[in-house]
């Protein structure tokens, strides 16, 4: 719908209620034949439990709010704020030289770390600076396609996002994950290299 494609032209729609709706679980919408096949052949359908009623109510209420069925513009305003926040954060990451994946407007923003050893380094350095991040590695990604995934919210303020970008900028320099050329060399400062050499 966002890109002008009618849902009737899509054979299978899949999504999550976790990031988008503040709930848990997800969905697959398709023809009865496809859904029946997936139910019979997918381990998740066989071994996982159904969504809790409270989680269903949360996702359902979020969908109603987005559609304006609550009689307000609150849902539409949240989506606009979310889009603005996501694009501000994405642009900041790109400007600093991070390799950013994903689509414009998406609140889920993956940044490539590549080397598996950079996963704990990036995460710990961010946590030392009071920023919690989600890192993703093998087997969820191919071995050398490790990444950090930022999930932006409509509740984040501009100052929250700018503060987070400052931390990411500092950590990305320290861990050396700025793979895009920005005019600044992506090497550790000589003084820091010398300091670390003396410590060891």
């Amino acid at each position: 719908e966002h890109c002008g494609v009618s849902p009737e032209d899509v054979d299978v729609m899949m999504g999550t209620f976790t990031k988008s709706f503040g709930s848990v679980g997800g969905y697959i919408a398709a023809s009865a034949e496809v859904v029946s096949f997936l139910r019979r052949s997918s381990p998740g359908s066989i071994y996982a439990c159904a969504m809790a009623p409270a989680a269903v109510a949360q996702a359902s209420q979020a969908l109603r709010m987005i559609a304006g069925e609550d009689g307000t513009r609150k849902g539409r305003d949240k989506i606009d704020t979310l889009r603005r926040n996501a694009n501000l954060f994405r642009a900041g990451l790109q400007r600093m030289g991070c390799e950013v994946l994903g689509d414009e407007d998406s609140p889920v923003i993956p940044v490539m770390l590549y080397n598996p050893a950079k996963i704990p380094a990036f995460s710990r350095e961010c946590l030392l600076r009071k920023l919690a991040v989600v890192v993703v590695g093998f087997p969820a990604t191919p071995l050398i396609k490790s990444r950090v995934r930022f999930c932006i919210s409509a509740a984040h303020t501009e100052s929250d996002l700018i503060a987070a970008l400052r931390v990411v900028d500092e950590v990305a320099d320290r861990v050396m994950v700025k793979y895009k050329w920005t005019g600044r060399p992506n090497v550790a400062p000589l003084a820091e290299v010398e300091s670390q050499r003396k410590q060891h």
Side-chain angles (χ1 to χ4, degrees):
E1 293 170 327
H2 173 71
C3 296
V5 176
S6 170
E8 295 168 359
D9 294 334
V10 179
D11 294 328
V12 179
M13 290 199 290
M14 179 177 83
T16 175
F17 293 129
T18 306
K19 298 170 194 77
S20 308
F21 300 97
S23 185
V24 295
Y27 66 90
I28 292 180
S31 68
E33 182 182 357
V34 170
V35 169
S36 178
F37 170 78
L38 291 173
R39 281 190 177 134
R40 288 190 318 270
S41 60
S42 299
S45 177
I46 297 168
Y47 298 113
C49 55
M51 286 175 65
V56 172
Q58 167 64 31
S60 179
Q61 183 58 36
L63 283 166
R64 283 192 194 92
M65 186 182 289
I66 288 167
E69 292 177 11
D70 63 346
T72 71
R73 280 196 43 86
K74 192 173 183 180
R76 179 59 35 208
D77 292 344
K78 282 189 177 288
I79 287 177
D80 292 343
T81 301
L82 180 59
R83 182 179 298 120
R84 189 171 44 255
N85 285 352
N87 290 336
L88 180 141
F89 200 78
R90 178 181 300 279
L93 291 167
Q94 289 169 332
R95 268 195 306 275
M96 72 178 68
C98 292
E99 186 168 342
V100 182
L101 302 183
D103 298 314
E104 199 75 15
D105 296 339
S106 173
V108 180
I109 305 173
V111 172
M112 296 307 294
L113 301 176
Y114 289 109
N115 185 331
K118 294 189 186 259
I119 296 172
F122 193 91
S123 178
R124 289 179 188 145
E125 289 294 329
C126 284
L127 197 54
L128 284 172
R129 293 160 178 82
K130 308 286 188 240
L131 179 66
V133 297
V134 176
V135 286
V136 185
F138 183 82
T141 68
L143 189 60
I144 57 169
K145 297 244 175 143
S146 304
R147 61 200 66 188
V148 56
R149 188 171 57 206
F150 298 97
C151 298
I152 305 303
S153 163
H156 287 123
T157 65
E158 190 171 323
S159 60
D160 291 336
L161 298 173
I162 290 169
L165 284 168
R166 285 190 181 122
V167 169
V168 172
D169 192 27
E170 185 181 333
V171 170
D173 275 335
R174 184 165 180 78
V175 180
M176 294 192 289
V177 293
K178 293 183 178 179
Y179 299 115
K180 297 285 187 174
W181 178 249
T182 61
R184 299 189 293 176
N186 184 16
V187 295
L190 185 58
E192 186 174 325
V193 172
E194 284 299 313
S195 166
Q196 288 180 5
R197 187 179 61 78
K198 289 177 185 174
Q199 289 174 6
H200 298 288

